[in-house]
């Protein structure tokens, strides 16, 4: 859809530019085609008589006027078409900005989730020593083994992580589909694939999601 629209806009612009150029050339030819015969008819000289100029004005207006009026109408139509194209581009920029704001907000949410610490709530005195809090990012990257006591909290955060990543991937897909190519969409795609690669080894920890949900996320990020 996006590629078809891009090709159509490009072809439309090329066609309008060609028509505008042709109109300019035709208008010049009309003026020359009307003026040169009259100039030849009066003997190839510039008259100093006001009556001759009045006759030339009547002649020029009667012959070239209707043709130039047609050209002016066509030019007006072209101007309206170009204005419509500019309006579509402005709307597209607005949509792109909305998608970018959403992607940036979701990116910040992903980063906040990665910064969370896995902890175990204290249950009172006399309990065994609580495990040292672990960084969510360290566990996702495999830099630290997940402590069994942290497993419930990790499952909750990993599920939330997958949900936010799913929203992020869907937004990337909408951005890719609805907006003409922007280089920054590739940056968001790479970032999303990086988060997905970190989460895939922990698919078994996702509550009610798992491999199928991650496959959908990957589908959105790849644009397949």
């Amino acid at each position: 859809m996006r590629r078809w629209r891009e090709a159509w806009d490009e072809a439309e612009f090329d066609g309008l530019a060609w028509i505008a150029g042709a109109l300019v050339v035709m208008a010049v030819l009309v003026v020359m085609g009307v003026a040169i015969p009259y100039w030849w008819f009066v003997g190839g000289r510039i008259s100093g008589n006001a009556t001759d100029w009045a006759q030339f004005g009547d002649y020029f207006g009667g012959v070239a006027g209707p043709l130039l009026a047609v050209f002016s109408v066509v030019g007006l139509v072209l101007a309206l078409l170009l204005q419509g194209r500019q309006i579509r581009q402005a709307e597209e920029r607005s949509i792109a900005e909305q998608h970018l704001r959403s992607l940036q907000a979701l990116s910040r949410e992903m980063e906040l989730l990665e910064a969370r610490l896995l902890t175990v709530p204290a249950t009172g005195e006399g309990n065994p020593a609580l495990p040292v809090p672990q960084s969510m990012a360290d566990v996702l990257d495999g830099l630290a083994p997940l402590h069994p006591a942290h497993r419930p909290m990790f499952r909750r955060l990993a599920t939330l992580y997958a949900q936010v990543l799913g929203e992020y991937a869907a937004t990337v897909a909408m951005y890719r589909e609805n907006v003409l190519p922007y280089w920054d969409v590739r940056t968001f795609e790479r970032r999303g694939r990086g988060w997905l690669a970190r989460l895939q080894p922990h698919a078994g920890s996702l509550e009610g999601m798992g491999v199928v949900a991650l496959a959908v996320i990957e589908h959105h990020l790849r644009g397949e």
Side-chain angles (χ1 to χ4, degrees):
M1 179 67 179
R2 177 182 58 78
R3 293 179 180 177
W4 178 86
R5 187 173 65 251
E6 179 185 2
W8 172 262
D9 287 344
E10 184 177 354
E12 180 186 23
F13 180 78
D14 292 341
L16 292 177
W18 185 89
I19 293 174
L23 285 177
V24 172
V25 173
M26 292 175 65
V28 172
L29 292 177
V30 167
V31 172
M32 293 177 62
V34 173
I36 291 177
Y38 185 85
W39 182 75
W40 182 267
F41 178 76
V42 298
R45 59 183 177 80
I46 298 178
S47 175
N49 190 341
T51 303
D52 293 339
W53 284 104
Q55 292 175 351
F56 174 75
D58 293 338
Y59 164 77
F60 187 87
V63 177
L67 294 175
L68 295 178
V70 172
F71 292 157
S72 65
V73 171
V74 175
L76 177 61
V77 172
L78 291 177
L80 292 175
L81 291 175
L82 289 174
Q83 185 180 19
R85 186 172 186 269
Q86 292 173 348
I87 292 174
R88 289 197 303 272
Q89 289 176 339
E91 292 175 348
E92 189 170 84
R93 284 194 296 270
S94 176
I95 294 173
E97 291 173 357
Q98 292 176 9
H99 284 308
L100 288 175
R101 284 194 295 269
S102 297
L103 288 170
Q104 290 166 355
L106 291 169
S107 297
R108 288 193 295 270
E109 192 169 350
M110 294 291 291
E111 292 168 357
L112 290 175
L113 285 172
E114 290 177 343
R116 291 284 298 273
L117 293 177
L118 302 175
T119 59
V120 177
T123 58
E125 297 181 359
N127 291 326
L130 297 177
V132 176
Q134 292 181 286
S135 167
M136 182 73 175
D138 289 344
V139 175
L140 287 172
D141 291 334
L143 299 178
L146 179 62
H147 193 284
H150 293 154
R151 195 174 302 278
M153 185 175 183
F154 178 78
R155 287 176 61 88
R156 292 194 301 272
L157 290 181
T159 300
L160 181 58
Y161 191 89
Q163 291 172 350
V164 176
L165 181 56
E167 295 179 20
Y168 178 93
T171 305
V172 169
M174 288 189 295
Y175 183 93
R176 186 191 303 110
E177 179 65 23
N178 297 322
V179 182
L180 293 181
Y182 286 89
W183 290 109
D184 48 10
V185 74
R186 298 186 179 181
T187 301
F188 287 111
E189 288 173 352
R190 287 194 297 269
R191 186 179 301 173
R193 287 196 293 268
W195 286 326
L196 179 62
R198 302 173 75 183
L199 186 60
Q200 283 173 330
H202 308 281
S205 298
L206 303 181
E207 298 176 353
M209 300 180 71
V211 178
V212 175
L214 298 184
V216 173
I217 293 173
E218 184 175 11
H219 173 80
H220 285 318
L221 291 174
R222 292 184 180 275
E224 298 174 349

